[in-house]
Amino acid sequence: MSAGEGRGAKRAGGNGNGANPMNNNSGSNSHNSRLPQLPTASSENRRRLRKCGGVEILATEMSRLSLSEHSLPSSFGITLAMCAWETVLPDPKSLTLFFTDCQGSEALFDLLEAGHRSIRPILLGILSDVLEQPKLHGFFHEWRSRRNAQSAAHLLISLWREEESALGLSETPSIER
């Protein structure tokens, strides 16, 4: 199985044939109501998304979302991240476009750093899938926080510590500060 191929339909509740059994909102004109339809999109629909500028829109909206207020969970943010995971990652051309031309790594890490904790599992899932591809490791190593210039590795460690604290676990003495 290639990077991300076939994973999305099961994660998003789809059946793998392009139909979303959870979708009962077929008559709506809202773009937000159509976003949940994308995760189970066929390879042809993923190609169309790339050709019509959808990959750029996903990256732009992720960047915009990272700059907004995050005291409450964002269903739009979660849906946006799921759409990126399910439509960009399985398509090699979209993935290249997202990371090289659209500054997708910046958008992912900025949203991971600033976003509500409810979106973190999805963003970490995207990053773990992306990091399975050695050609994309450079984006991980290059990222620096706009807030405090920390690296991606430092961000992940701080998120780990934050999660341990939220779970009431004691600090692991083996991780140096």
Side-chain angles (χ1 to χ4, degrees):
M1 176 164 46
S2 66
E5 191 90 56
R7 297 178 189 185
K10 291 179 181 67
R11 253 197 314 262
N15 58 11
N17 67 4
N20 187 342
M22 312 269 305
N23 180 23
N24 59 5
N25 192 13
S26 59
S28 174
N29 289 329
S30 168
H31 292 295
N32 288 346
S33 68
R34 292 176 192 243
L35 283 175
Q37 296 175 15
L38 291 175
T40 56
S42 67
S43 60
E44 175 62 23
N45 287 340
R46 288 191 296 260
R47 185 189 68 75
R48 286 180 185 161
L49 179 77
R50 183 182 69 251
K51 295 286 186 186
C52 74
V55 174
E56 292 90 343
I57 291 169
L58 285 171
T60 300
E61 288 300 312
M62 287 178 117
S63 292
R64 188 184 61 76
L65 189 61
S66 71
L67 301 173
S68 64
E69 198 274 317
H70 299 285
S71 61
L72 296 173
S74 167
S75 54
F76 176 67
I78 292 169
T79 302
L80 190 64
M82 285 300 299
C83 285
W85 196 359
E86 305 300 341
T87 60
V88 174
L89 265 63
D91 185 65
K93 289 181 181 178
S94 292
L95 187 61
T96 300
L97 177 65
F98 186 77
F99 277 89
T100 58
D101 297 343
C102 301
Q103 298 178 341
S105 61
E106 294 286 322
L108 284 171
F109 281 112
D110 290 348
L111 190 54
L112 182 62
E113 179 182 41
H116 190 270
R117 64 181 288 137
S118 63
I119 199 170
R120 289 180 186 165
I122 300 166
L123 296 174
L124 290 170
I126 292 170
L127 289 171
S128 69
D129 282 357
V130 166
L131 290 173
E132 288 179 357
Q133 301 181 38
K135 289 190 273 185
L136 298 176
H137 287 183
F139 293 102
F140 178 83
H141 296 295
E142 291 173 5
W143 182 83
R144 292 283 182 249
S145 169
R146 293 178 187 170
R147 290 180 176 180
N148 56 17
Q150 71 179 338
S151 68
H154 283 99
L155 171 63
L156 294 176
I157 290 170
S158 67
L159 293 176
W160 177 281
R161 287 186 179 134
E162 188 178 314
E163 190 64 25
E164 279 185 334
S165 176
L167 294 171
L169 301 173
S170 63
E171 276 192 40
T172 307
S174 62
I175 298 178
E176 303 270 333
R177 287 196 186 259

